[in-house]
Amino acid sequence: MSEQRFGEFVAVRRDGDGHVAELAMDRPKAMNAVSTEMARSIGAACAALAADPSVRVVVLSSTAERAFCVGADLKERNSFSDAELVRQRPTTRGAYGGVLALPMPTIAAVHGFALGGGFELALACDVIVADETSVVGLPEVSVGVIPGGGGTQLLPRRVGAARAAELIFTARRVEAAEALSLGLVDSVVPAGQDTTEALALASRMAANSPVGLRAAKRALRLGHGMDLEAGLEIEDAAWRTVAFSGDRVEGVAAFNEKRKPNWPGE
């Protein structure tokens, strides 16, 4: 397995053919609280992954035993002046926006606490695999702020406006079983198996056309919230990017020849 470090707190790992990349948050002593340095590293790692055509799926994981990520580093924030907080904001947005903008499918592997910005990082992914120890929520209003990493926009897209409002306004924490029933996460697996299961799911996705995966994600993301006619035009535009690709030629040939495709990725 290869590993590339982005600062002290973020590692990108690859195994086998490298088509699945694991972006591991690695600040266990602080339960992955997102400091300025960590936010900068997440953004840099995402930029590198987005620019790498060999990466077909990304898994966002945690090396901290008790948490996926507990959100913003409030100890650091407590020392900030207003001017410093303003200066930090683009760096923070770069981390959450970096995950959200990844062009390939993304899976969050969640265990323990995923709160505030931590849950927002998971919400920025396409699929959330949680283990049974998971506790998720957006408690920002309980400390005098609001979700600022995409939570007010991403959560209602998952669970609807009224449910998102209830969860954000009460600041309550939701345990794994209820989180699954509400659609806050997409599956619940045994304790300690979140990363294993997420990587296995990622491998199944990565067996498919990389051109197709990126185009399908683009259509899903851009079409969400559009009226049906506009959404179908977005889908058609995405279809045109794959219909004349090398992946489409290889996929059809492999199907007819009853063999596994060897995707050119273009």
Side-chain angles (χ1 to χ4, degrees), residues 133-193:
T133 71
S134 298
V135 179
V136 306
L138 296 175
E140 283 89 345
V141 297
S142 69
V143 293
V145 291
I146 69 165
T152 65
Q153 305 306 304
L154 296 171
L155 187 59
R157 283 168 166 76
R158 263 192 167 266
V159 300
R163 179 67 69 193
E166 182 263 320
L167 291 165
I168 290 171
F169 296 162
T170 61
R172 72 183 179 96
R173 301 179 178 191
V174 183
E175 295 185 358
E178 184 185 4
L180 180 62
S181 71
L182 296 178
L184 298 173
V185 303
D186 299 303
S187 62
V188 174
V189 300
Q193 294 299 304

Side-chain angles (χ1 to χ4, degrees), residues 47-183:
L49 289 167
D52 188 339
S54 71
V55 178
R56 298 181 185 177
V57 185
V58 172
V59 172
L60 180 62
S61 68
S62 161
T63 66
E65 183 178 352
R66 296 179 52 217
F68 174 73
C69 173
V70 294
D73 187 339
L74 296 183
K75 290 183 179 179
E76 180 188 60
R77 290 276 181 92
N78 192 48
S79 69
F80 280 0
S81 67
D82 288 352
E84 287 170 331
L85 185 59
V86 169
R87 283 197 296 272
Q88 187 212 33
R89 180 63 174 162
T91 301
T92 304
R93 288 195 71 183
Y96 300 110
V99 176
L100 187 62
L102 284 169
M104 68 288 290
T106 52
I107 304 169
V110 174
H111 62 265
F113 297 111
L115 300 173
F119 189 38
E120 289 175 300
L121 286 169
L123 289 170
C125 295
D126 300 302
V127 178
I128 303 175
V129 175
D131 85 357
E132 59 194 11
T133 71
S134 298
V135 179
V136 306
L138 296 175
E140 283 89 345
V141 297
S142 69
V143 293
V145 291
I146 69 165
T152 65
Q153 305 306 304
L154 296 171
L155 187 59
R157 283 168 166 76
R158 263 192 167 266
V159 300
R163 179 67 69 193
E166 182 263 320
L167 291 165
I168 290 171
F169 296 162
T170 61
R172 72 183 179 96
R173 301 179 178 191
V174 183
E175 295 185 358
E178 184 185 4
L180 180 62
S181 71
L182 296 178

Side-chain angles (χ1 to χ4, degrees), residues 215-240:
K217 176 165 179 170
R218 191 163 61 249
L220 284 163
R221 283 285 178 89
L222 294 178
H224 189 95
M226 296 283 190
D227 64 65
L228 180 58
E229 184 176 356
L232 290 173
E233 290 303 315
I234 289 169
E235 180 183 80
D236 185 66
W239 177 85
R240 290 174 187 277

